[in-house]
Amino acid sequence: MFALTKKVRFTVLVAAVAAASLMNSCGGKKASAAQVASQGGYETVTTPATELEDLKRKLEAEGIPAGIGIGESTDEMVSRNVSSDEARTEVAKSIDVHVQRLSESYAQNVSGEAKKIWEEAVRQITDQHVRGSNVHTTIVQFNKENGRYKVYSLIVLNPSLFKAALQDAMARDEEFELRVKKDEMMSKLDANIREYESKYKK
């Protein structure tokens, strides 16, 4: 009986060692994969875009359209222009998302055709403001080795302009103006404007 117990203990011990060995070998594979990635020249980095993306997410969560652009050139002014143009394109995309959300939230009783007309009108009106909007934050980098500038830009659309565009578009469509939950929408937009003016307005 004693011999049998020793045999059982030995078997359990062997099984435990085998399991530990298997787990270590799996962990080793993961470590080697990370090493391979590192040897291939890749590593996790934080760039100015990371900081601006964090701010952009906060802005958009508060209903404020924003966009980031990156421009690179041997001419600083060219890189600034490319960066701001790209940021404006991103603001336009952000506006599309905000319009879609508002439409889904406050225009459930409006026909699909009326919604489509309203959304397109908002895009046309806000496009004028986006083209004339100013850069909120600019980060400039210079590479001495190749003499190139890299510019990161964040453009923020004043939500009061966004609200005015929504109202203008609404006034063009009688069905939309009658059926949309106008008071709720305007209340939401006013809250976004207050956030902008207290935190982001320059």
Side-chain angles (χ1 to χ4, degrees):
M1 174 121 180
F2 180 68
L4 183 61
T5 305
K6 283 178 74 177
K7 195 171 185 178
V8 170
R9 285 179 182 168
F10 179 74
T11 304
V12 171
L13 179 62
V14 169
V17 170
S21 174
L22 181 63
M23 288 174 70
N24 285 336
S25 68
C26 289
K29 283 181 183 174
K30 286 181 182 175
S32 64
Q35 287 170 357
V36 169
S38 178
Q39 288 167 0
Y42 292 97
E43 58 181 279
T44 303
V45 296
T46 300
T47 70
T50 309
E51 177 188 338
L52 295 180
E53 281 168 1
D54 288 342
L55 179 54
K56 179 176 179 281
R57 276 192 291 273
K58 288 178 185 174
L59 285 159
E60 292 186 330
E62 293 165 350
I64 303 169
I68 297 168
I70 302 172
E72 188 175 346
S73 172
T74 53
D75 186 302
E76 183 184 356
M77 207 62 224
V78 169
S79 59
R80 282 177 179 270
N81 289 338
V82 170
S83 177
S84 58
D85 286 346
E86 191 177 294
R88 287 186 180 93
T89 299
E90 291 301 310
V91 171
K93 291 178 184 176
S94 179
I95 287 169
D96 283 348
V97 172
H98 285 293
V99 170
Q100 192 66 40
R101 285 178 184 163
L102 290 169
S103 182
E104 289 171 359
S105 298
Y106 304 109
Q108 298 97 330
N109 298 323
V110 181
S111 72
E113 186 60 28
K115 273 188 191 180
K116 190 175 176 182
I117 292 168
W118 177 74
E119 289 172 7
E120 186 55 37
V122 173
R123 290 185 188 100
Q124 288 176 358
I125 297 163
T126 52
D127 184 54
Q128 300 165 16
H129 296 303
V130 170
R131 275 181 279 146
S133 57
N134 296 320
V135 176
H136 181 274
T137 305
T138 305
I139 300 171
V140 182
Q141 294 182 327
F142 180 69
N143 187 325
K144 291 181 180 178
E145 292 180 9
N146 59 19
R148 294 181 72 83
Y149 291 91
K150 185 177 274 190
V151 177
Y152 299 80
S153 301
L154 172 70
I155 287 181
V156 180
L157 182 70
N158 186 328
S160 63
L161 298 175
F162 185 48
K163 178 185 175 182
L166 294 170
Q167 288 175 311
D168 191 355
M170 202 179 301
R172 297 180 186 189
D173 191 304
E174 188 177 347
E175 180 191 344
F176 196 94
E177 189 168 25
L178 288 172
R179 293 180 180 274
V180 73
K181 296 176 183 175
K182 187 176 178 181
D183 292 341
E184 289 181 34
M185 186 190 288
M186 292 303 118
S187 177
K188 174 67 176 172
L189 292 168
D190 287 339
N192 297 342
I193 291 168
R194 285 193 295 273
E195 284 292 320
Y196 172 81
E197 289 182 343
S198 65
K199 295 179 183 177
Y200 308 109
K201 189 173 182 180
K202 288 190 170 185

